[in-house]
Amino acid sequence: MTTESPLATALAQLRRAVDQLQLSENDWNTLSTPRRTLEVAVPLRRDDGRVEMYKGYRVQYSTTRGPSKGGVRFHQDIDLNETIALAMLMTWKCALTNLPYGGAKGGVAVNVHDLSLGENERLTRRYTSEILPIIGPERDIPAPDVGTDERNMAWMMDTYSVNAGFSVPGVVTGKPISLGGSLGRNTATGDGVAISTREALKVRGINPEGATVAIQGFGKVGYWTAIALENMGLKVVAVSDVNGAVTGFSSVKDLFEYSQIHGTVVGAPGTDTLTNQELLWLDVDVLIPAALADAITEASAPGIKAKIVVEGANAPTTPEGDAIMNSNGILVVPDILANSGGVIVSYFEWVQDKQNYFWSAQDVKENLNKILMTAIVDVEQMAKGKNVTWREAAHMLGVSRVADAHRLRGLYP
Ligand code: GLU
């Protein structure tokens, strides 16, 4: 059976963790059910006067360990099931990193590339107003994800604040610095992916100096991962976007500038073009899927030659793809660990907003490293001790912490 849907994948991973932890069927029932799912219609007046309707979602998968937390995705392919899957992953991610949060995710099924800046702002504000009753600094705190960035967070913060009658910076994270954002938040996911890569290289006994990397996806996560890895001495040899992959570039920064102007990395001066599949199958030390779900499947996994795969994206691997990589001896650093740097620094932003006291870039960097390293060491030790994969260990840790919290809180009434 193939399981190529993010929700089927997430449920299969949860089932495995529940079985490995020997949790009860009651635990499975509570853990496998999203607590609150909201589907809204988001009307948008286009610049030419037409009114279009888009589907919007916000899923609060769990609030057991604290307010729910997770990004807002603007992408034409999202639906309720995918949003549930991503909200479930946020739940285990926040528990794995010991942040005092549950998990959430939201989004609008829209192609952002079709929107003008003004249309994007109106859509963001109307979506925010539709989900307004269930978000808030103590309830559910959105953040950027695929297709959204700090501009969207500024509009969300403003829309919420105008309704509250006063400024509420803590309602979203990933804001611009001048609106209560945190230093280091924009690079945080990439910084975390790089830290995870560094630790995985250590485990495999590979010298980071000159180790080669291919990155699928050149958005916020892929780009900042590339920069952080280069600073650690690795060599980024190939990157891709939706239009294709390139090798042979001399500077990641120049390539990024080219893609900002031309809308793609393909065709950048001095580069050779590859297909997405050729990138996944490059003979490199590290492969980093940093785009969307289901990149590594039973079709693509057999060709992967990298020794280490670090999941910058959420849910990039199907269970079948995962099994193939495991049997080929590839060390897979799972999404809920590898890309947790983003939500870790979101947590710092929320804490700073609550205290109205802002940290230095150095404080952010040191605390990110501390929290992520604790999670990496926990996962590595659990994997060794129980003879399971890093993904299984990460899920066992995250899921067991949520299950413990459930048990301690008890069932109301
Ligand atoms: N969207 C990011 C993620 O998937 C960050 C979420 C957050 O900062 O709340 O982890």
Side-chain angles (χ1 to χ4, degrees), residues 306-319:
K307 299 167 195 79
I308 295 168
V309 168
V310 185
E311 296 182 337
N314 288 311
T317 305
T318 64

Side-chain angles (χ1 to χ4, degrees), residues 17-29:
V18 164
D19 291 344
Q20 286 173 323
L21 291 161
Q22 299 182 313
L23 298 178
S24 67
E25 276 314 286
N26 285 346
D27 286 325
W28 162 255
N29 289 338

Side-chain angles (χ1 to χ4, degrees), residues 341-357:
V343 73
I344 292 171
V345 179
S346 274
Y347 166 61
F348 300 159
E349 181 173 333
W350 181 74
V351 167
Q352 292 170 76
D353 288 340
K354 268 173 165 294
Q355 299 187 333
N356 290 306
Y357 178 76

Side-chain angles (χ1 to χ4, degrees), residues 6 66 298 308 388 413:
E298 62 187 332
I308 295 168
V388 296

Side-chain angles (χ1 to χ4, degrees), residues 69-71 90 93 105 143-145 173 185 314 339 342-343 346:
K69 183 88 191 81
M90 283 308 303
K93 192 186 300 185
K105 199 70 147 208
D145 197 86
T173 58
R185 175 63 185 86
N314 288 311
N339 71 29
V343 73
S346 274

Side-chain angles (χ1 to χ4, degrees), residues 304-340:
I304 293 177
K305 297 178 197 70
K307 299 167 195 79
I308 295 168
V309 168
V310 185
E311 296 182 337
N314 288 311
T317 305
T318 64
E320 294 77 18
D322 204 30
I324 293 166
M325 290 197 287
N326 292 332
S327 66
N328 289 345
I330 298 170
L331 174 58
V332 180
V333 186
D335 47 6
I336 59 170
L337 182 62
N339 71 29
S340 65

Side-chain angles (χ1 to χ4, degrees), residues 34-343:
R35 291 317 169 89
R36 193 181 265 159
T37 61
L38 178 64
E39 180 172 324
V40 294
V42 189
L44 168 69
R45 189 181 301 281
R46 301 296 298 254
D47 291 341
D48 63 7
R50 277 178 302 138
V51 174
E52 289 174 350
M53 303 300 288
Y54 293 92
K55 279 192 174 155
Y57 308 96
R58 186 71 187 169
V59 174
Q60 298 173 347
Y61 194 85
S62 170
T63 51
T64 306
R65 302 179 71 261
S68 50
K69 183 88 191 81
V72 171
R73 183 173 284 210
F74 283 3
H75 191 274
Q76 57 277 16
D77 293 339
I78 66 154
D79 58 22
L80 184 60
N81 278 346
E82 177 166 353
T83 311
I84 292 171
L86 295 170
M88 189 195 315
L89 288 177
M90 283 308 303
T91 306
W92 318 140
K93 192 186 300 185
C94 292
L96 172 63
T97 45
N98 254 323
L99 306 180
Y101 290 137
K105 199 70 147 208
V108 179
V110 64
N111 183 350
V112 261
H113 302 294
D114 283 351
L115 302 179
S116 68
L117 192 63
E119 289 170 339
N120 193 338
E121 174 171 353
R122 293 196 290 281
L123 188 79
T124 305
R125 288 186 182 279
R126 184 58 187 255
Y127 167 70
T128 308
S129 123
E130 296 297 336
I131 65 166
L132 201 115
I134 66 166
I135 62 171
E138 312 298 334
R139 297 166 191 252
D140 178 15
I141 306 114
D145 197 86
V146 174
T148 58
D149 60 23
E150 61 174 33
R151 283 174 318 183
N152 301 88
M153 295 306 115
W155 296 324
M156 290 188 78
M157 178 269 193
D158 183 67
T159 304
Y160 188 91
S161 298
V162 165
N163 278 274
F166 50 92
S167 263
V168 189
V171 66
V172 290
T173 58
K175 297 179 296 297
I177 305 292
S178 51
L179 294 179
S182 176
L183 293 172
R185 175 63 185 86
N186 61 337
T187 64
T189 310
D191 290 339
V193 175
I195 293 169
S196 306
T197 306
R198 180 189 73 200
E199 296 307 309
L201 287 167
K202 254 185 227 162
V203 169
R204 277 287 185 266
I206 302 170
N207 185 356
E209 199 58 50
T212 52
V213 191
I215 303 180
Q216 184 212 30
F218 204 44
K220 297 186 293 284
V221 178
Y223 174 64
W224 289 113
T225 297
I227 296 291
L229 288 174
E230 283 198 339
N231 290 338
M232 288 177 180
L234 287 88
K235 175 121 191 63
V236 179
V237 297
V239 303
S240 71
D241 60 29
V242 282
N243 297 298
V246 290
T247 56
F249 46 87
S250 50
S251 150
V252 166
K253 274 202 184 96
D254 291 350
L255 185 65
F256 187 70
E257 261 164 41
Y258 177 92
S259 75
Q260 293 301 97
I261 297 164
H262 296 87
T264 177
V265 292
V266 176
T271 61
D272 295 317
T273 307
L274 304 176
T275 63
N276 183 49
Q277 171 136 321
E278 284 168 335
L279 175 132
L280 294 177
W281 290 0
L282 281 175
D283 192 1
V284 286
D285 295 304
V286 184
L287 171 66
I288 300 183
L292 295 169
D294 296 344
I296 302 178
T297 62
E298 62 187 332
S300 60
I304 293 177
K305 297 178 197 70
K307 299 167 195 79
I308 295 168
V309 168
V310 185
E311 296 182 337
N314 288 311
T317 305
T318 64
E320 294 77 18
D322 204 30
I324 293 166
M325 290 197 287
N326 292 332
S327 66
N328 289 345
I330 298 170
L331 174 58
V332 180
V333 186
D335 47 6
I336 59 170
L337 182 62
N339 71 29
S340 65
V343 73

